[in-house]
Amino acid sequence: MNVLLGTIDPIKRLSGRTRERWNRVISQFCMPTFKGARSFIGRMGKPFAKPGRQKALLRALLESSPDAMWIKDHDGTYIACNSRAARNLGLQVDDVIGKRDADLFDCETARRHLTVDQTILAGEVSVTSEGKYVDARTGDVYVLESIKTAVYHANGDLLGVLGIARDITDRKRAEERLSQAAKVVESTSEGVMITDTSGRIISVNQALCTITGYSEQEVLGQTPGLLDVADRDFGLMQAIWSSVRHTHTWQGEIWNKRKNGERYPVRWAINSVRDRNGNTTHYAGVATDLSRIKRYEDQLDYKAHYDEITGLPNRTLAMEQIDHRIRIGLKGDEKLAVLLIDLDFFKRVNESLGHLAGNKLLQHVAERISCASPDANTVARLGSDEFAIILAGRSGLAEVEDTAKRIIAAMSSPFDVNGNDVYIGCTIGISVYPTGGCDSITMLTNADTALSHAKRQARNSFCFYNPTLTYVARQFLDLDASLRRALELNEFELYYQPQICLATGAIRAVEALLRWNRPGVGMVSPAAFIAHAEQTGLIVPIGQWVVMQACKQLSAWQSLGLSGFRISVNLSPSHLTSPDLIAQIRASLASTGAQPEMLELEITETTLMEHHSSTRDVLQDIKKLGVTLAIDDFGTGYSSLAYLQQFPVDLIKIDRRFINDAPANARAEGMLASIIAMARHLHMDPLVEGVETEAQCRLLHVLGCDYAQGNYFSAPTSAGDVTSFLQNSKKNMP
């Protein structure tokens, strides 16, 4: 402890009684009652035996102490203190001598000091205490540890109280830091282990016990080898401790074993603890249990590589496996094939039974595909209703084809989905390395190209990829882009062909026929692009354009005084099922000012029969607008008279094949006559398409057909030519 005592020069300033007591202290300082100081002074030698020398020695001893030292008499008056004690008060020694605590401290501190002094004076040998004080010079708070004891005369009389105080501020701060560090260590979720230099565990925190399952008592005195797994790599442990010895640190992930035997991943950070001289005194290790992190990483990895619904590998993993197979190479007659499977009509299941039923169906499909392809290296779900199979090995193309056939057969049987029999099919595109591609992206792309080709040919079929398909696919893409551009740049035109009344020669209507004036190519027939437009859905916006342009042209003719005829427009099946068809027709009529009764819309017989339920309602709505309706290409489908009479149709357009065969074929002529008669009985006007000769025209007149259309009267021509034709026809009318 630190002791603080002051100079005794100011003794002459004390009162007579106090001075006498101080002199007694000095004269009796060597008495045994003062902590054996007498024996110490005696050992200093004979020169110190004289009182003057004793006094000088005492002064030197008190003043040389780094601790604060003072003496108070039994009345509490300071009779001595050293410079250190005075400096703590911000005073000089002379300013302290003769003062009491009440003169030097605040009331609370003075009262506390008085209480301790009274305890000592009442017979207590010594009292140790701590207290916080404020430095009068700097305002800093510091902590003093004080020891007070009684001082007695040689004859046993009580002389006063001796106090020694040491500044323990730094120690307290260090202790506080250690306490805080201990709390942090104990509260942290990381396990902490401290060993001695021999590797024996001397301390662990609660987190380490929680992680390992061992109690503190079970690990103390053990070595970290207690946590080793049975198959620990001895070379790894040597490398770890070699790093710690040479670099004083090591960090890394290893596997440990819990008390119950469970293996778990853990990250250790091991450091050597060294003293001021750089000598290692301990080893400290911090352990982080990675079990949850690893489980989370495994979950993320699973989600990144597997389909959540079917549990099959997803597109990412399938592509990785294809690339891996290509990277390791194929030997001899080994093959690598990718079968891309697309389900037919899956969307209808989702729409009718809901997505949960759709998910159930996907699970059943995954099971069937897996069972139908036992030799597959991978069965994957790429997304939506698309699956893939990777076949690698010595299977030839015949085996690949057999697998495709088995899958198609497996998909043909009904699926039980929540008690519903669901029928779907599938179409398969196949690419084979290396002709089908030399990486996963190319192989899947080419398999998709083969799949698209198979769909165009027939559903429930498969197709192998070959480079020709790429050329066809590119043509498909080029045509698609060109058609979209044509719609944006207004490259489409309408040609018109009149429909003639056979009895009078008057024009009943003109049919609007679409043409594409393709830059660099010229006029393109609809036969070259309508099927593509239907397949891609472009036919709907194209059909909207046709209706609008036809209404504009009809309005333009009406403004020229050309009236008494209709303009006829074909509706595609896709356009007919468009939800905003009625609104589009109404908007076209309103914006152009065309009269609704002058617009005629044609629907093919096949469309009418395939969608009779929904089509009937749409046609009724069209009729409510005042628009005329016609059945186009009649005789090419399988019409039911029972259904036919349900539709509000005004005109039947008989397909050209009947008139082509009629003049020289009695049977064909009979069929033509029957259709014309049937139309009349259904209160529908008959019109024959494709009239090319005068003989055909006379035959139709004999059979009682009202109207005809064909090149005999006029080939499809531009709006300008039709305008002239109409104007001339008007002049020639009686």
Side-chain angles (χ1 to χ4, degrees):
M1 69 186 70
N2 290 341
V3 178
L4 196 228
L5 204 56
T7 176
I8 57 177
D9 288 340
I11 291 177
K12 59 186 178 180
R13 296 172 49 196
L14 302 175
S15 64
R17 186 177 178 184
T18 302
R19 186 185 304 115
E20 179 183 356
R21 289 176 179 173
W22 173 238
N23 287 331
R24 288 180 184 177
V25 171
I26 298 303
S27 63
Q28 299 298 326
F29 186 77
C30 297
M31 297 300 291
T33 56
F34 196 73
K35 303 285 184 177
R38 180 180 179 181
S39 61
F40 171 75
I41 297 297
R43 287 195 299 272
M44 297 299 293
K46 191 173 181 179
F48 296 98
K50 295 180 180 181
R53 291 182 181 272
Q54 292 176 4
K55 183 177 179 180
L57 175 60
L58 179 59
R59 288 177 180 174
L61 288 173
L62 296 180
E63 197 60 40
S64 64
S65 172
D67 299 324
M69 299 179 67
W70 66 92
I71 298 176
K72 291 186 284 187
D73 63 17
H74 61 79
D75 291 329
T77 301
Y78 283 88
I79 59 176
C81 75
N82 66 356
S83 299
R84 180 62 182 177
R87 283 200 304 273
N88 285 348
L89 298 172
L91 301 172
Q92 299 295 323
V93 172
D94 291 349
D95 298 326
V96 177
I97 302 303
K99 301 288 179 58
R100 293 173 179 266
D101 287 326
D103 302 321
L104 302 173
F105 300 98
D106 61 85
C107 294
E108 178 60 28
T109 304
R111 186 193 61 76
R112 189 170 67 249
H113 288 178
L114 178 60
T115 300
V116 174
D117 291 347
Q118 288 174 346
T119 301
I120 293 172
L121 294 173
E124 188 74 31
V125 176
S126 65
V127 175
T128 302
S129 62
E130 291 182 6
K132 291 185 177 179
Y133 301 88
V134 178
D135 190 313
R137 295 166 299 170
T138 64
D140 295 336
V141 177
Y142 60 94
V143 182
L144 293 180
E145 181 183 61
S146 302
I147 298 179
K148 292 183 178 181
T149 186
V151 180
Y152 292 88
H153 191 271
N155 61 11
D157 293 340
L158 179 63
L159 297 179
V161 177
L162 169 66
I164 305 172
R166 170 169 293 176
D167 188 343
I168 60 170
T169 305
D170 291 340
R171 190 185 80 191
K172 282 295 183 181
R173 289 173 179 168
E175 290 175 353
E176 185 177 358
R177 286 195 296 270
L178 288 174
S179 176
Q180 291 174 345
K183 290 178 181 178
V184 170
V185 169
E186 195 57 36
S187 63
T188 184
S189 60
E190 280 78 22
V192 178
M193 173 191 295
I194 299 175
T195 73
D196 58 22
T197 54
S198 66
R200 296 291 172 180
I201 301 172
I202 62 174
S203 179
V204 294
N205 68 346
Q206 182 57 44
L208 188 80
C209 296
T210 302
I211 292 172
T212 64
Y214 289 100
S215 67
E216 183 178 8
Q217 291 72 23
E218 288 175 314
V219 298
L220 293 180
Q222 301 289 331
T223 67
L226 177 70
L227 309 178
D228 282 352
V229 293
D231 56 351
R232 170 73 72 224
D233 183 358
F234 182 71
L236 172 62
M237 299 309 298
Q238 284 185 316
I240 291 174
W241 287 109
S242 175
S243 174
V244 174
R245 284 192 296 269
H246 290 89
T247 66
H248 303 289
T249 186
W250 180 85
Q251 293 186 34
E253 295 180 14
I254 61 174
W255 287 87
N256 276 165
K257 178 186 65 177
R258 305 189 205 276
K259 182 180 178 180
N260 62 8
E262 177 190 354
R263 294 165 59 98
Y264 66 99
V266 60
R267 180 174 183 82
W268 278 99
I270 304 174
N271 294 278
S272 61
V273 181
R274 291 173 288 169
D275 59 20
R276 293 181 179 180
N277 297 321
N279 298 317
T280 299
T281 60
H282 300 85
Y283 294 108
V286 177
T288 303
D289 187 349
L290 302 178
S291 300
R292 291 185 179 179
I293 296 175
K294 290 296 184 182
R295 283 196 295 270
Y296 182 66
E297 289 177 349
D298 290 342
Q299 291 173 358
L300 291 179
D301 182 73
Y302 182 86
K303 290 182 178 180
H305 292 91
Y306 288 87
D307 175 52
E308 186 176 358
I309 296 175
T310 64
L312 296 176
N314 62 10
R315 179 182 294 271
T316 300
L317 183 55
M319 294 177 68
E320 289 177 0
Q321 294 185 357
I322 294 171
D323 288 330
H324 174 70
R325 288 284 174 180
I326 294 174
R327 188 167 53 251
I328 64 176
L330 301 175
K331 301 177 182 178
D333 58 351
E334 288 183 339
K335 299 288 184 183
L336 175 62
V338 175
L339 287 74
L340 189 61
I341 306 166
D342 185 76
L343 304 182
D344 298 330
F345 311 117
F346 175 75
K347 184 178 179 182
R348 295 183 184 177
V349 177
N350 270 344
E351 292 174 346
S352 59
L353 300 180
H355 288 285
L356 293 179
N359 292 345
K360 192 71 174 177
L361 176 59
L362 290 174
Q363 293 169 356
H364 291 328
V365 168
E367 292 174 2
R368 287 198 188 179
I369 292 177
S370 299
C371 292
S373 52
D375 298 330
N377 298 87
T378 301
V379 176
R381 180 184 175 226
L382 305 187
S384 186
D385 57 351
E386 198 171 60
F387 291 78
I389 293 177
I390 302 173
L391 292 175
R394 300 191 179 278
S395 299
L397 294 182
E399 286 80 2
V400 175
E401 184 174 334
D402 288 342
T403 300
K405 290 178 179 178
R406 285 197 303 270
I407 293 171
I408 292 174
M411 294 296 106
S412 64
S413 301
F415 291 87
D416 181 4
V417 180
N418 299 332
N420 299 293
D421 284 342
V422 175
Y423 289 86
I424 61 172
C426 69
T427 309
I428 303 175
I430 306 170
S431 62
V432 180
Y433 174 86
T435 57
C438 294
D439 58 74
S440 60
I441 296 176
T442 306
M443 290 195 73
L444 284 172
T445 300
N446 289 336
D448 188 57
T449 299
L451 174 65
S452 299
H453 183 75
K455 282 185 175 182
R456 288 193 292 269
Q457 301 303 311
R459 292 189 180 273
N460 293 319
S461 64
F462 64 90
C463 176
F464 282 90
Y465 169 81
N466 63 70
T468 302
L469 297 182
T470 300
Y471 174 75
V472 173
R474 288 178 180 173
Q475 283 187 317
F476 183 91
L477 292 177
D478 290 343
L479 179 59
D480 188 72
S482 297
L483 280 175
R484 295 179 188 276
R485 187 168 52 249
L487 195 58
E488 293 175 2
L489 301 180
N490 204 29
E491 294 176 0
F492 291 115
E493 295 181 15
L494 289 183
Y495 272 41
Y496 301 91
Q497 188 175 38
Q499 299 172 357
I500 305 299
C501 176
L502 294 175
T504 64
I507 297 177
R508 174 196 174 272
V510 289
E511 181 179 1
L513 300 169
L514 183 64
R515 297 291 186 269
W516 178 15
N517 192 1
R518 189 174 185 179
V521 177
M523 203 63 69
V524 180
S525 169
F529 63 85
I530 288 296
H532 177 93
E534 286 277 8
Q535 183 178 354
T536 60
L538 275 173
I539 195 65
V540 173
I542 291 175
Q544 295 171 1
W545 181 89
V546 171
V547 172
M548 177 63 77
Q549 292 301 119
C551 288
K552 287 181 179 179
Q553 186 60 60
L554 180 60
S555 179
W557 282 330
Q558 290 174 345
S559 66
L560 294 175
L562 302 175
S563 59
F565 63 92
R566 297 177 177 86
I567 191 165
S568 182
V569 177
N570 289 279
L571 286 183
S572 73
S574 299
H575 197 189
L576 186 65
T577 57
S578 176
D580 54 352
L581 172 64
I582 303 301
Q584 292 168 3
I585 296 173
R586 185 182 290 112
S588 297
L589 292 170
S591 63
T592 60
Q595 297 301 313
E597 61 272 15
M598 295 295 99
L599 176 64
E600 184 173 83
L601 298 179
E602 299 182 10
I603 302 98
T604 64
E605 178 189 17
T606 302
T607 301
L608 203 64
M609 292 299 104
E610 286 183 354
H611 308 282
H612 63 272
S613 297
S614 58
T615 303
R616 181 177 55 198
D617 296 335
V618 174
L619 296 184
Q620 292 287 358
D621 291 338
I622 292 175
K623 283 295 291 183
K624 291 177 183 178
L625 297 176
V627 176
T628 304
L629 293 172
I631 298 177
D632 194 17
D633 298 334
F634 188 85
T636 59
Y638 302 92
S639 297
S640 166
L641 295 180
Y643 283 137
L644 194 60
Q645 65 180 352
Q646 298 177 14
F647 296 103
V649 176
D650 302 290
L651 178 76
I652 289 180
K653 298 182 70 174
I654 304 169
D655 189 71
R656 66 179 61 243
R657 71 184 64 181
F658 293 100
I659 191 62
N660 287 342
D661 298 335
N665 188 319
R667 187 169 182 175
E669 182 179 330
M671 291 184 65
L672 183 59
S674 298
I675 296 173
I676 293 171
M678 179 203 69
R680 288 186 173 278
H681 282 87
L682 291 175
H683 303 289
M684 301 177 186
D685 293 330
L687 181 148
V688 175
E689 300 178 283
V691 175
E692 303 284 343
T693 66
E694 183 179 357
Q696 292 173 341
C697 189
R698 286 197 301 269
L699 175 62
L700 293 177
H701 184 72
V702 171
L703 295 177
C705 183
D706 296 326
Y707 304 104
Q709 176 182 347
N711 290 341
Y712 175 74
F713 306 104
S714 173
T717 186
S718 66
D721 291 341
V722 173
T723 300
S724 300
F725 184 88
L726 292 171
Q727 290 172 335
N728 292 331
S729 298
K730 185 176 181 181
K731 292 178 182 179
N732 296 329
M733 291 181 64

